Amino acid sequence: MATDTRTRILDASAALLARQGYNATGVKQIVTEAKAPFGSVYHHFPGGKQEIGAAAVVISGKLYEQLIPAVFDNTPDLPTGVRWFFNGAAQHLVETDFADACPIATVALETASTSEQMREACAAVFNSWIAAGSEMQQTRGGLSPESARRLTIAMIAALEGAFVLARAQRSVEPLEVAGELVAEAAEREQSLGQRAVSRAPASDETSG
Amino acid sequence: MATDTRTRILDASAALLARQGYNATGVKQIVTEAKAPFGSVYHHFPGGKQEIGAAAVVISGKLYEQLIPAVFDNTPDLPTGVRWFFNGAAQHLVETDFADACPIATVALETASTSEQMREACAAVFNSWIAAGSEMQQTRGGLSPESARRLTIAMIAALEGAFVLARAQRSVEPLEVAGELVAEAAEREQSLGQRAVSRAPASDETSG
DNA sequence: TACTCGCTAGAGCGATCAATCTAGCGAGGT
DNA sequence: ACCTCGCTAGATTGATCGCTCTAGCGAGTA
């Protein structure tokens, strides 16, 4: 029934890193939150705090990656999905009193220049999000792989930056503005993609 | 000749907070870097680390705010200015080995939920950037106050988020993609604004 | 010469940090 | 019954944290 010690440590770490960042989260705090014995930490994670952090970041990344299909699979088109995505983020931010935004952004900035292990873990998460978003936009939006990748990167960047502004200002305005910017870009990309598809459903480019 | 102790403390703090964030920067490290006597810290800043951090954030904010006119005043039009801005950020990021991005973003995320004093200082900086960018886009791009504010917020958000991705991935691709997204939005906004201006240079809206 | 006071100077406080250490529990194998 | 070993358990280490404390320097005033 109860999850094992290792899982509890990682779950607690993921939650604490998301809310406090890396440097503000202590190993003692993690084991207290996880109701885990302190001595078990360095048995399961001989690499210490960095190994815990890297593993926790990956777990958070996989969890949040599921939000992409969860939102966009129930959406009429790409731009609407983008708007739902940003609106949902804004709503969650308000509900958590502007505490829960991106689970790894703070950690990514803190550790980008100080821990190669942590930096790589964060980069891997971002890459998985980009891959998942790109595939979604290709299959559901009819975008080319290049367009899908660029629009996904832009969407994630706009979301991350809007989180920074929103948490500092305690306002969802940045999320609304950034979301609309990306949604309008998605409208143009999708109309271009669908036009190309409907014009030449299964042929190479041969028009002049 | 030599700047006074208080100024040296703030300059050193601004540099350290930009590169390491708030929690990773110690007061001892600040006075060492500033070549300042430790005892002077709590004479000049009785509020302790938070007061130093808040003042340093504001100083960094004013310094970086000057980049907006410095770039956009020498640019042919708004979209070109946006591209120069993001390209310059990307170049600086590469030159500093992906260490120097936004001077306050890391601090903003770290302290948003733990120190009201720090959060307000960061929010004030972001607001001053938004005000400066909005005014620039109104005067140079012919945008309405509302459009200028929204485009500025979007630009800052895209830049901040692209920094997060770029530092984690050690790649300027996010800056290129996000910059292009904002530049294209600026193209549409400027063409709309200029069309409106040339159509009705000094009259109220009376068209149907 | 006395006195004030803004500032320098750094020793030292208690608390907390990440990490190491030894000790022992307890299920599975023989 | 006995042993093994994955795991629990927490005391302890040395370093560092933000901060407080007293002492004294040195320019300005009387």
Side-chain angles (χ1 to χ4, degrees):
Chain A
M1 181 91 296
T3 53
D4 61 14
T5 302
R6 187 190 153 90
T7 304
R8 271 184 286 125
I9 289 175
L10 286 180
D11 289 346
S13 299
L16 289 171
L17 291 182
R19 289 181 171 264
Q20 306 177 340
Y22 185 81
N23 290 315
T25 300
V27 179
K28 283 244 171 67
Q29 187 184 16
I30 291 173
V31 300
T32 301
E33 192 79 6
K35 299 193 196 323
F38 184 83
S40 301
V41 169
Y42 290 87
H43 169 77
H44 292 292
F45 305 94
K49 190 184 177 184
Q50 287 193 25
E51 184 181 347
I52 302 173
V57 157
V58 170
I59 284 186
S60 285
K62 288 181 180 172
L63 197 66
Y64 274 64
E65 186 178 327
Q66 300 174 355
L67 290 178
I68 297 176
V71 170
F72 284 88
D73 282 356
N74 298 316
T75 215
D77 54 17
L78 212 51
T80 305
V82 171
R83 292 189 174 92
W84 286 8
F85 206 82
F86 279 77
N87 285 344
Q91 184 179 342
H92 184 71
L93 206 56
V94 170
E95 287 171 355
T96 60
D97 199 33
F98 294 90
D100 261 17
C102 173
I104 72 163
T106 310
V107 177
L109 288 181
E110 282 180 294
T111 61
S113 298
T114 55
S115 164
E116 194 64 8
Q117 185 179 4
M118 288 296 298
R119 199 217 94 226
E120 287 175 0
C122 294
V125 168
F126 286 135
N127 279 329
S128 76
W129 290 355
I130 293 170
S134 296
E135 189 185 321
M136 179 275 298
Q137 291 183 352
Q138 289 176 54
T139 56
R140 292 192 47 81
L143 270 62
S144 70
E146 297 79 11
S147 296
R149 176 180 173 84
R150 292 174 62 87
L151 187 58
T152 302
I153 291 176
M155 183 179 87
I156 295 173
L159 184 67
E160 295 287 359
F163 275 148
V164 176
L165 295 182
R167 289 192 67 196
Q169 300 189 321
R170 295 183 67 86
S171 160
V172 294
E173 183 190 12
L175 283 164
E176 296 170 350
V177 172
E180 190 56 30
L181 180 85
V182 178
E184 289 175 5
E187 282 174 356
R188 292 194 307 282
E189 289 290 340
Q190 190 171 51
S191 68
L192 283 173
Q194 288 184 340
R195 204 180 310 152
V197 167
S198 62
R199 194 174 47 198
S203 72
D204 319 35
E205 69 235 330
T206 46
S207 67
Chain B
M1 182 91 297
T3 54
D4 62 13
T5 303
R6 187 190 153 89
T7 304
R8 271 184 285 125
I9 289 174
L10 285 181
D11 289 346
S13 299
L16 289 170
L17 290 182
R19 287 181 172 264
Q20 306 177 340
Y22 185 82
N23 291 315
T25 300
V27 179
K28 285 243 170 69
Q29 188 185 14
I30 290 174
V31 300
T32 301
E33 192 79 7
K35 300 193 196 320
F38 185 84
S40 300
V41 169
Y42 290 88
H43 170 76
H44 292 292
F45 304 95
K49 190 184 177 184
Q50 287 194 25
E51 184 181 347
I52 301 173
V57 157
V58 171
I59 284 186
S60 285
K62 287 181 181 173
L63 197 68
Y64 273 64
E65 185 178 327
Q66 300 173 356
L67 290 178
I68 296 176
V71 170
F72 284 88
D73 282 357
N74 299 315
T75 213
D77 55 16
L78 212 51
T80 305
V82 171
R83 292 190 174 91
W84 286 9
F85 206 83
F86 278 78
N87 285 345
Q91 185 180 340
H92 183 72
L93 205 57
V94 169
E95 286 171 356
T96 60
D97 198 33
F98 293 90
D100 261 16
C102 173
I104 72 164
T106 311
V107 176
L109 287 181
E110 281 179 294
T111 61
S113 299
T114 55
S115 163
E116 194 64 9
Q117 184 179 3
M118 288 296 299
R119 200 216 93 226
E120 286 175 0
C122 294
V125 169
F126 286 135
N127 279 328
S128 75
W129 291 354
I130 293 171
S134 296
E135 189 185 320
M136 179 275 298
Q137 291 183 351
Q138 289 176 55
T139 58
R140 293 192 47 79
L143 270 62
S144 70
E146 298 79 12
S147 294
R149 175 180 175 85
R150 292 173 63 87
L151 187 58
T152 302
I153 291 176
M155 184 180 85
I156 296 173
L159 184 66
E160 295 288 358
F163 276 148
V164 176
L165 294 182
R167 291 191 66 196
Q169 300 189 322
R170 294 183 69 84
S171 160
V172 294
E173 184 191 12
L175 283 164
E176 296 170 349
V177 172
E180 189 56 30
L181 180 83
V182 177
E184 289 175 5
E187 281 174 356
R188 292 194 306 283
E189 288 290 339
Q190 189 171 51
S191 68
L192 281 174
Q194 288 183 340
R195 203 180 310 151
V197 167
S198 62
R199 193 174 47 196
S203 73
D204 319 35
E205 69 236 328
T206 45
S207 66

